[in-house]
Amino acid sequence: MVLTGERPTGGSPSEEVAVDLRPHDHPLRLVVGTLDTPGHGNARPSHRYAVVDVGTNSVKLLVAERDAKGRWQTVVDRSEITRLGEGLAARGTIGRKGVARTAAAIDEMLAEARQKDVVGVAAVGTAGLRLASNRDEVLAEIAARTGTWIEIIAGQEESRLGFLGVETAIGDGRETLVVVDTGGGSSQFTFGHGREVDEQFSLNVGAVRYTERFGLSRRVSRKTLRAACAALAVDLASLEGRRTADDVVAMGGAATNLASVMLGLPTYDRDLVDGAVLDAREVDRQIELYRRANVTGRRATVGLQPKRAEVILAGACIVRTVMTKLGRDSVTVTSRGLRHGVMVDRFGTASLAAEPWSPIGGSRVQADETDDAVAIAASG
């Protein structure tokens, strides 16, 4: 597997370029030549690529294969909760335990990517790494443990890539669309029509941050819940007065778990969750359910991934407040996300006009690993 950086102007599209992979002040664009480039002899051509998305609450791996027509097929799509941003809101720094858990997950995912014969990897980091005052030290430690530097992407770029990942999978190229991505450390909002982005921005409103700020990992009083929702209303005030859209699509662990609970799924089923309509009454019902339950009680909820139990109340409150601010009674849920947009953006745009993503040989759920997107891996 070859990990390379942005090609110099005038470089051959198939040329591999050795670059300095130390942290940069500007985003590092990771691209790679395929194994049938000069110098590889008779090696089998491969068009498999991987994206590792390092979030505040989870690390995700997407391995996909691009066929001759430019269509992307999913080989592996899974996530693991590592709580990289645990304690970040209070300290302003990322702790060593979070780094160790995250580095171990990344290392395991890179090994899995190698086993799948990928020829290129893009590893990106989001809000937790953007906000941490010790991010350089964290990046260095992760690099030392995994051999990979993480590219920290800006909030607006995260919004754009999330929109791209959703639109290329479910958009019809004509409708106006708002994509909402609620994460552990921040939430991204992208307004667009067709495949054109009209406006995008990121707000430091995340499930981990609010869980720690208001103690929402446990049973709380209605007074505490009202205080959390009031703070969310202030932090999300910039959503007010926005134009209406044909559809609002919510992605991220909060939305997918809320949909899974609504459907009463004992085992996560991506086909049922993708496209599910989550209405305000259902979100309100689940908020009250989680408010009254401790972590053990939440983990017993059918459809809720156990590792999501501590942050689901905050996540549900964020989704509900976003709906109110956008004047919506419901949102459409998708398990697509940033990783899909990064894959398209970094490793080929032919899929922009291609058929939706599809799994190779079907998919199965890894029920013990989930966050901003549920854990799905290809079978066989």
Side-chain angles (χ1 to χ4, degrees), residues 35-79:
L35 291 181
D36 55 347
T37 53
H40 284 293
N42 296 320
R44 178 182 61 83
S46 174
H47 299 282
R48 285 188 177 182
Y49 302 91
V51 173
V52 177
D53 171 9
V54 183
T56 307
N57 204 38
S58 70
V59 180
K60 306 175 191 65
L61 170 68
L62 174 65
V63 176
E65 182 173 301
R66 192 179 62 218
D67 66 19
K69 295 182 179 180
R71 294 171 299 192
W72 287 101
Q73 294 180 312
T74 300
V75 180
V76 175
D77 190 358
R78 72 177 184 88
S79 73

Side-chain angles (χ1 to χ4, degrees), residues 197-218:
V197 173
D198 299 322
E199 183 182 13
Q200 61 199 39
F201 53 91
S202 177
L203 300 176
N204 291 332
V205 176
V208 174
R209 294 167 64 86
Y210 265 77
T211 295
E212 294 180 352
R213 180 177 172 183
F214 291 94
L216 301 181
S217 62
R218 57 185 181 273

Side-chain angles (χ1 to χ4, degrees), residues 109-297:
M109 289 177 177
L110 290 173
E112 184 174 356
R114 286 192 292 270
Q115 292 173 355
K116 298 298 182 182
D117 297 323
V118 305
V119 294
V121 177
V124 300
T126 56
L129 288 167
R130 285 198 300 266
L131 297 171
S133 62
N134 63 335
R135 72 174 192 175
D136 288 344
E137 291 85 350
V138 171
L139 290 172
E141 185 167 349
I142 291 176
R145 290 171 179 248
T146 68
T148 300
W149 285 105
I150 306 301
E151 169 196 348
I152 302 178
I153 57 176
Q156 285 198 339
E157 178 69 352
E158 185 178 352
S159 296
R160 183 187 72 82
L161 292 170
F163 182 86
L164 180 64
V166 171
E167 208 289 325
T168 55
I170 67 174
D172 63 6
R174 297 183 302 273
E175 66 179 1
T176 56
L177 185 67
V178 179
V179 174
V180 180
D181 182 4
T182 60
S186 67
S187 295
Q188 281 60 240
F189 303 89
T190 308
F191 298 74
H193 63 283
R195 297 190 171 99
E196 298 295 324
V197 173
D198 299 322
E199 183 182 13
Q200 61 199 39
F201 53 91
S202 177
L203 300 176
N204 291 332
V205 176
V208 174
R209 294 167 64 86
Y210 265 77
T211 295
E212 294 180 352
R213 180 177 172 183
F214 291 94
L216 301 181
S217 62
R218 57 185 181 273
R219 181 186 295 114
V220 296
S221 66
R222 287 192 172 89
K223 180 179 179 181
T224 297
L225 181 65
R226 285 195 296 269
C229 291
L232 279 169
V234 172
D235 289 345
L236 293 171
S238 58
L239 294 178
E240 295 176 358
R242 302 279 170 172
R243 63 177 176 78
T244 58
D246 294 325
D247 201 1
V248 175
V249 177
M251 61 182 182
T256 55
N257 275 266
L258 290 171
S260 182
V261 171
M262 175 185 70
L263 296 170
L265 302 178
T267 301
Y268 185 87
D269 189 328
R270 173 178 142 183
D271 291 337
L272 293 177
V273 169
D274 273 334
V277 176
L278 191 63
D279 65 35
R281 181 177 298 181
E282 174 62 20
V283 179
D284 288 340
R285 182 190 74 82
Q286 290 194 42
I287 287 175
E288 181 62 13
L289 174 68
Y290 304 134
R291 182 194 70 80
R292 298 172 61 183
N294 57 22
V295 172
T296 301

